[in-house]
Amino acid sequence: MRIQKIELGEIRIPLVTPFRTALRTVTEIRDIVVRITADDGQAGYGEAPATAVITGDTWGSIETAIREFIAPAILGMDIEDIDGIMRRMQKAILKNTSAKAAVDMAVYDLYARNLGRPLYKVLGGGSDSIETDLTISVNDVSQMVEDALRGVEQGFRILKVKVGKEGKGDVERIQAIRQAVGENVVIRVDANQGWAPKEAVRIIRSLEDKGLDIDLVEQPVNAHDFAGMKFVTANVSTPVLADESVFSSQDAIRIIEERAADLINIKLMKTGGIYEALKICGIAESFGVECMTGCMLESKLAVSAAAHLAAAKGVITRHDLDGPALCSTDPYEGGPVFEGPRIRMTGQPGIGIGKVPVEFR
Ligand code: MG
């Protein structure tokens, strides 16, 4: 079964409320969707958002990377030669991780469909259900408390609170949310590189002193400031999770060896897909480091691919896959079932999404 056609389309889905982090504000999902068709007519699907502020990828760069570099390199290849396809793709173009992720997940989708098995089973998984947190955007305190309470009402037991945008009020934000939701809700904090190293230590220690019981703090400082990450990790007792600092398996090795974080956030758009993500899982497991899976502003298609990976790998102990929960509609048919915080895997082959309402060309 050979790769015959690689086509692209665009999907747009309005968000329920604007998504605000220390880095950006977004009101809709606008992603590139990839369809890879094999010579027997079967198709696999992938998706990539243009998260320019994190990955450097834009809609134009994703399209060019796929049409002009990746597609010519892998067209005609046997879908069962998944290792060969991934190596060719890596060689065809440097960086461009979102474009690679979209193609990678379409290839894995097709590979698993061809085997007639759900992707998470093919990747080695036993768990058929995972629990995601819900992201609370950075806003004024009352809005964030309201959003947190609404999330808890919807059944979410883990909240990921975005901070780091306005500096000073961050401790007050977390404290207000903790008071509102009570002690049984798990709270994670994501600063999206918003703090300086000493500021981060001061804020995190203050959260600790107030007994706010924070599960982890994500990417407190600049992605490239490994020394800063290490300084924070060494000086607080709350676990520190590296997100923007870790794209590749090489980054994972460095962050672990330098003890610059306690946990690693794996996102397919950073790794360039499942193939590289599996390497990070292996490295982390070898060192006894746990991982989280996260997503960018992705719709159910790309998030489902991440869910398959997460369900397959025990080293991924935390899940931040709330992209579909932030969308106002679900335009797809099939795939894992997203019910509030619960993501249930199904027996459908591949990623499982059967209908993708996009015009491909
Ligand atoms: Mg993050």
Side-chain angles (χ1 to χ4, degrees):
M1 190 168 117
R2 294 188 176 275
I3 296 176
Q4 192 175 53
K5 246 188 327 190
I6 300 177
E7 300 161 292
L8 306 179
E10 185 185 89
I11 193 147
R12 286 183 173 222
I13 307 169
L15 297 175
V16 179
T17 54
F19 182 83
R20 294 183 75 215
T21 76
L23 296 171
R24 60 195 177 130
T25 299
V26 185
T27 57
E28 67 165 1
I29 278 177
R30 176 187 161 197
D31 291 356
I32 289 180
V33 181
V34 178
R35 178 169 70 187
I36 298 184
T37 311
D39 54 8
D40 70 347
Q42 281 199 83
Y45 297 95
E47 173 193 354
T51 318
V53 291
I54 297 173
T55 62
D57 299 318
T58 64
W59 295 286
S61 74
I62 293 170
E63 180 162 355
T64 303
I66 295 175
R67 287 199 197 279
E68 293 182 33
F69 295 87
I70 298 169
I74 66 171
L75 274 171
M77 288 188 80
D78 186 344
I79 199 71
E80 291 196 329
D81 180 15
I82 196 156
D83 198 69
I85 293 171
M86 295 305 165
R87 284 158 171 269
R88 277 254 196 114
M89 176 159 75
Q90 290 306 324
K91 275 197 181 157
I93 187 166
L94 285 176
K95 300 180 187 284
N96 288 279
T97 50
S98 302
K100 285 175 182 165
V103 173
D104 167 289
M105 66 180 77
V107 168
Y108 272 98
D109 185 20
L110 197 47
Y111 177 76
R113 276 175 205 253
N114 188 41
L115 296 173
R117 304 291 293 148
L119 180 54
Y120 78 103
K121 293 281 188 191
V122 173
L123 296 175
S127 163
D128 49 17
S129 156
I130 56 177
E131 180 175 0
T132 177
D133 60 28
L134 178 72
T135 301
I136 305 299
S137 284
V138 188
N139 277 302
D140 59 51
V141 180
S142 60
Q143 181 68 53
M144 290 178 80
V145 167
E146 195 185 315
D147 292 345
L149 286 172
R150 191 177 328 111
V152 172
E153 248 167 58
Q154 289 164 355
F156 288 91
R157 300 185 302 176
I158 311 168
L159 301 176
K160 190 168 108 165
V161 182
K162 294 284 190 182
V163 294
K165 197 175 166 75
E166 276 125 42
K168 281 193 206 124
D170 286 338
V171 175
E172 289 72 15
R173 286 187 168 85
I174 306 294
Q175 192 167 19
I177 291 171
R178 172 56 81 203
Q179 275 166 1
V181 300
E183 60 189 22
N184 291 330
V185 171
V186 174
I187 296 181
R188 298 171 180 159
V189 172
D190 188 356
N192 284 107
Q193 315 176 54
W195 298 326
K198 286 184 180 175
E199 183 186 22
V201 170
R202 186 171 43 75
I203 292 171
I204 298 166
R205 281 191 180 165
S206 173
L207 298 174
E208 291 169 354
D209 291 344
K210 290 182 191 305
L212 297 180
D213 191 20
I214 303 306
D215 180 46
L216 59 87
V217 172
E218 188 168 336
Q219 197 66 46
V221 305
N222 186 282
H224 302 293
D225 187 3
F226 275 47
M229 286 291 282
K230 182 177 178 169
F231 176 77
V232 178
T233 302
N235 284 288
V236 301
S237 38
T238 307
V240 172
L241 176 129
D243 182 7
E244 289 96 320
S245 288
V246 177
F247 272 54
S248 64
S249 49
Q250 293 92 334
D251 296 336
I253 291 170
R254 196 177 149 206
I255 210 116
I256 291 171
E257 282 192 339
E258 294 184 12
R259 300 193 178 276
D262 302 291
L263 304 158
I264 293 173
N265 189 345
I266 297 175
K267 292 178 180 167
L268 298 181
M269 297 306 145
K270 296 186 299 175
T271 61
I274 292 166
Y275 186 75
E276 181 74 9
L278 288 170
K279 290 189 207 166
I280 297 180
C281 287
I283 291 161
E285 192 157 21
S286 302
F287 284 91
V289 169
E290 294 180 5
C291 298
M292 174 153 118
T293 37
C295 54
M296 306 294 184
L297 278 176
E298 298 159 25
S299 73
K300 187 178 156 183
L301 174 53
V303 176
S304 294
H308 277 277
L309 174 72
K313 290 287 160 191
V315 71
I316 301 176
T317 53
R318 293 168 171 85
H319 311 102
D320 174 29
L321 298 176
D322 60 352
L326 307 176
C327 291
S328 58
T329 57
D330 172 11
Y332 302 104
E333 264 174 32
V337 180
F338 289 74
E339 277 169 346
R342 198 43 63 192
I343 304 173
R344 270 192 300 110
M345 311 311 289
T346 69
Q348 296 156 324
I351 294 173
I353 291 188
K355 198 177 141 212
V356 178
V358 168
E359 218 176 286
F360 289 99
R361 55 179 191 86

